[in-house]
Structures are given as structure tokens and as C-alpha cells.
Amino acid sequence: MRFEFATATRIVFGVGTVREVVPAAREMGRRALVVIGRSPQRAAALVAGLEAAGVACYRFAVAGEPTLELVRQGVELARQEQCDLVIGFGGGSAIDAGKAMAALLTNPGDLMDYLEVIGKGESLSVAAAPFIAVPTTAGTGAEVTRNAVLASPEHRVKVSLRSPRMLARLAVVDPELTFDLPPTITAHTGLDALTQVIEPYVSNRANPLTDGFCAEGIQRVSRALRRAYYAGHDAEARTDMSLASLFGGLALANAGLGVVHGFAAPLGGMFPAPHGAVCAALLPHGMEVNIRTLRARAPESESLRRFQKVARLLTGQPSAAAEDGVQWVREICQELNIPPLGSYGIREADVPVLVERASQASSMKGNPIVLTAEELGEVLTRAL
Ligand SMILES: [Zn+2]
């Protein structure tokens, strides 16, 4: 056994911890680029606190999933204002955008020099500017991952800027920031969180350290997601979901993902569908095809035993079979009104190109068994 584990330098978790951002930021810099999501007023208290403490703030709004152009604009603003610190406050989009801007602020050259797939894929040569991540949703775990997912509309793809140098200096996870999320966002992000504790658990790169995070995360989603969906201010349920999201980030950054995220990247590049909704729509089908394929081609595999464990954690039934976990996921997707992928304009005719792109996606490398093009097509077609 050999494994590695890397994460943010410091993680602070708990209701009310957002108040700890100001004193920590003050130790890292005096001029902050504050990258925020679509509701800038949500960051108003944080910005006021920073300014009162002598940290000048330059706000940069990220309305949707970040594009290459948007990252370049943010870096330009940060250079112009001589920022020495970046804070990402928002959902996965704002945090990933901030992470990329912090990296580009200190490294020479253009974004394309460092991008996977469409760029030169060079390594970042210099440490990123200090970066503080403050998630306001519970799903992506982006506060502890080492990549930023960026869209290139020109290439119709989503690609990652990836480096251990991009890990946040500080991640502050305050479940209270998620209390007012509407049910739809709670459902999409919550099922992304669930996907991100299941895929690393059955991944061929799983290790004992990530296993603990995943098992704990699966259990918490199982007991809390419905409650958080129906009663947003249920502090206990929101805390469970924020923890599951954090654990998913810790796990996926170190153990990889699988078929669901393998499809999510190319789908998100070609269609305007939210990442969480895409993962939710694919999850039961990805699990089902993986289980069936493992039974047929690798019946003695450890991964199959792991799918059974997932089912037992989700259902709370000590005798549950792997397929019962699929059923549990299918039911919650139905109850939480997860739309099929067809509602985002994805058609049967798009299946071949998506299968081709998914089979080359970096997330697919973690899938517990290599799926054929036909099996991949089945996962996607069922989710349409
Ligand atoms: Zn995800």
C-alpha cells in the first residue's frame, strides 16, 4: 500500500466560523481580490469587516461557471490593484475562479500555458498568492481541491487548471451560509456531494484515509439531504451536508472520481446544465451499469464489495445488496425533482461524441472498471 494525501493548509469548520475570515485574512495580506458569486450582497458583511480591519477589497463577480476570459479579467484587476491575497466566497464557480486567479496572479505567462487538454499543460512554477476559500453551498468541496474547472466556450469544453500549488491556504466552512439556499440548489449541490463521496469510495485509487471520509459522508447525506431540502434552516442537516461536501472534496482530490464525473465535464462544456444537476441525473445509472459490469467481468472484485457497503450506509440496512443503493439514489432523485438530461437539450444524437469525450476525461481514470463505449452510451442514454 502506498498513498499520498494533500489538502488545504488549514480547515476551519462550524456554524459562525465565517467571522474568523477577517483576522486570518489580515495576516495574509492587505489588498484582497474578493471573488463572489451571483449574489454580491451575501458577501457585504465580510467585505465590510475586511475593510474595517484595514484590508482593502476589490470585488469581482462570477455570475455563472467560470470561463478562461473571466479568469484573465480577474487576474488583470488583481494586478492593477496590486492585490496580495485572493478570497473566494460563493459556490464552486466563485471558489474555482478565485483559485485560478490566485495561481495566475503570481505565475508568469498566459492561462493557456498551464491548462490541460487545450493548453500546454505546463506546471505552475511559483506558489500561488494566498487563497482563502469560503463556500456558500454544500456540494463541490472546491475549498479543498487542487483544480479549477474552467469553461472554454470557443472549444465547447470544460478543462482543469490543476496543481498542488493551488490548494487553499485556509478553507472556512460555515454551514450557516447555506441555510437560505433554495430547495433546487440544495438538491443539485447535495447530490453532487453524494456523488463525490461515492465515486472516490469505489475508485481504483481509493485509500484508507479517503475511505473514512467517504463512509462518513455517505451516512451524513443519507440522513440529512431530505431534511435540508424541506427545511433549509435545520442546522443539524445543513451541518451534515456541509461536512459531506468537505469530505467529498478531501476524497476526490486524493482518490479520483469515476464515470459520472467523466461525463459531467464534457456535458458541462457542451450544454448549459448545472454541474450538480448533471451528476444527480447520471448517478443512479452510473452506479447500476458499474455494478452489473463488475458482476459480469470481475465478480470477486473489492469494488463490488464496496458498492454493497455504499448500499448499507445509504439504506441503514445491514443486509442490503449493492443494487439497493441504486434504488435508494433513484428514489431520492425522484423525490427531489431531478430533471432528466434531455431537459437541457441533450439528445440521443449527442451520445457518440459525449461517450468519446468522456472516455478520455481525467475523472474516468478512477472508475472501478473500464467501461466499453456501449456501456458508457447506456449510462448516458438512460439519463436522457
Ligand atoms: Zn461534482
Side-chain angles (χ1 to χ4, degrees):
M1 185 196 300
R2 183 208 171 271
F3 67 84
E4 235 182 274
F5 189 87
T7 191
T9 311
R10 184 175 164 224
I11 300 169
V12 178
F13 185 95
V15 169
T17 51
V18 70
R19 285 187 284 278
E20 295 178 39
V21 174
V22 172
R26 213 168 169 277
E27 285 181 13
M28 292 183 205
R30 281 292 177 273
R31 302 171 71 84
L33 178 73
V34 183
V35 184
I36 48 191
R38 35 182 126 231
S39 323
Q41 71 282 3
R42 299 202 61 203
L46 175 65
V47 168
L50 286 164
E51 293 198 318
V55 180
C57 290
Y58 302 91
R59 265 170 282 199
F60 188 90
V62 178
E65 295 186 356
T67 61
L68 307 186
E69 195 40 46
L70 182 119
V71 170
R72 290 192 185 103
Q73 286 167 9
V75 174
E76 204 180 289
L77 174 66
R79 290 216 170 109
Q80 199 180 303
E81 302 297 350
Q82 297 177 302
C83 293
D84 49 11
L85 161 71
V86 179
I87 300 174
F89 180 95
S93 295
I95 290 176
D96 272 5
K99 212 186 281 174
M101 289 171 195
L104 266 290
L105 183 53
T106 53
N107 279 272
D110 182 68
L111 188 48
M112 285 302 267
D113 298 338
Y114 305 106
L115 281 178
E116 291 177 347
V117 189
I118 59 170
K120 293 184 197 156
E122 287 172 16
S123 309
L124 293 175
S125 55
V126 187
F131 176 61
I132 301 177
V134 188
T136 60
T137 62
T140 65
E143 65 275 14
V144 289
T145 61
R146 61 186 95 175
N147 68 309
V149 182
L150 307 173
S152 172
E154 165 199 354
H155 300 89
R156 284 190 88 198
V157 289
K158 274 195 192 173
V159 288
S160 268
L161 178 64
R162 193 185 304 271
S163 168
R165 295 187 189 272
M166 288 167 68
L167 286 165
R169 191 75 64 91
L170 170 67
V172 176
V173 185
D174 184 344
E176 200 169 358
L177 297 173
T178 68
F179 284 9
D180 291 319
L181 291 176
T184 310
I185 307 278
T186 302
H188 293 175
T189 51
L191 284 159
D192 186 23
L194 178 61
T195 310
Q196 294 182 172
V197 282
I198 293 178
E199 290 203 303
Y201 190 66
V202 297
S203 158
N204 52 32
R205 286 172 51 207
N207 71 59
L209 194 47
T210 56
D211 285 351
F213 289 124
C214 292
E216 186 69 26
I218 293 168
Q219 241 166 334
R220 287 179 190 268
V221 173
S222 155
R223 72 182 183 211
L225 180 51
R226 277 188 180 85
R227 281 166 60 189
Y229 179 79
Y230 291 113
H233 283 246
D234 182 331
E236 217 174 67
R238 290 296 195 185
T239 297
D240 275 343
M241 291 309 299
S242 288
L243 267 180
S245 171
L246 171 64
F247 290 173
L250 294 169
L252 80 87
N254 292 283
L257 290 158
V259 60
V260 173
H261 279 83
F263 272 117
L267 264 164
M270 290 173 69
F271 298 91
H275 172 78
V278 168
C279 289
L282 286 162
L283 181 59
H285 311 292
M287 289 170 75
E288 188 172 16
V289 171
N290 265 331
I291 292 167
R292 197 192 62 210
T293 309
L294 286 164
R295 284 209 195 286
R297 295 208 289 271
E300 302 302 324
S301 77
E302 159 77 8
S303 307
L304 207 45
R305 199 190 57 75
R306 283 170 174 261
F307 270 114
Q308 184 181 62
K309 183 81 188 291
V310 169
R312 292 175 180 182
L313 290 167
L314 284 174
T315 61
Q317 300 297 326
S319 59
E323 287 79 0
D324 298 328
V326 180
Q327 186 56 23
W328 190 95
V329 173
R330 199 179 284 130
E331 280 167 15
I332 200 165
C333 285
Q334 223 157 49
E335 187 177 338
L336 272 46
N337 294 307
I338 297 304
L341 293 178
S343 61
Y344 301 105
I346 304 157
R347 301 279 170 262
E348 287 247 27
D350 302 310
V351 171
V353 61
L354 284 165
V355 164
E356 166 67 23
R357 288 186 176 190
S359 61
Q360 285 158 28
S362 60
S363 296
M364 196 64 87
K365 296 190 192 100
N367 201 59
I369 189 162
V370 177
L371 298 173
T372 63
E374 201 184 351
E375 286 153 355
L376 289 172
E378 187 186 345
V379 172
L380 184 56
T381 308
R382 285 196 194 185
L384 290 181

